[in-house]
Amino acid sequence: MAARCQVTGAVPGFGHSISHSHRRNKRRFDPNIQKKRYFVPSLGRTITLNLSVKGIKTIDARGIESVVAELKAKGEKF
């Protein structure tokens, strides 16, 4: 599964792991991506989205209908 949120667009960040002796190693900070299913009444079916936790909270606040309309406008597949 790609580490990208379909709602917020969150992608991995890159940086360093720093040891006690202050040696640096490259690492990747992945967003907390969850696969969620929602029933969309306007489509009459369930859709599966790859979402970060912030994306899930966005859907809870704004509603699935408005988020799906925005995703359709962006041309996102679901």
Side-chain angles (χ1 to χ4, degrees), residues 7-35:
V7 174
T8 62
V11 292
F14 294 90
H16 291 97
S17 297
I18 301 180
S19 70
H20 181 69
S21 63
H22 220 65
R23 286 180 161 234
R24 292 180 166 96
N25 294 307
K26 292 295 274 182
R27 63 159 292 182
R28 178 176 152 144
F29 295 90
D30 284 329
N32 187 5
I33 299 294
Q34 309 289 321
K35 193 173 262 192

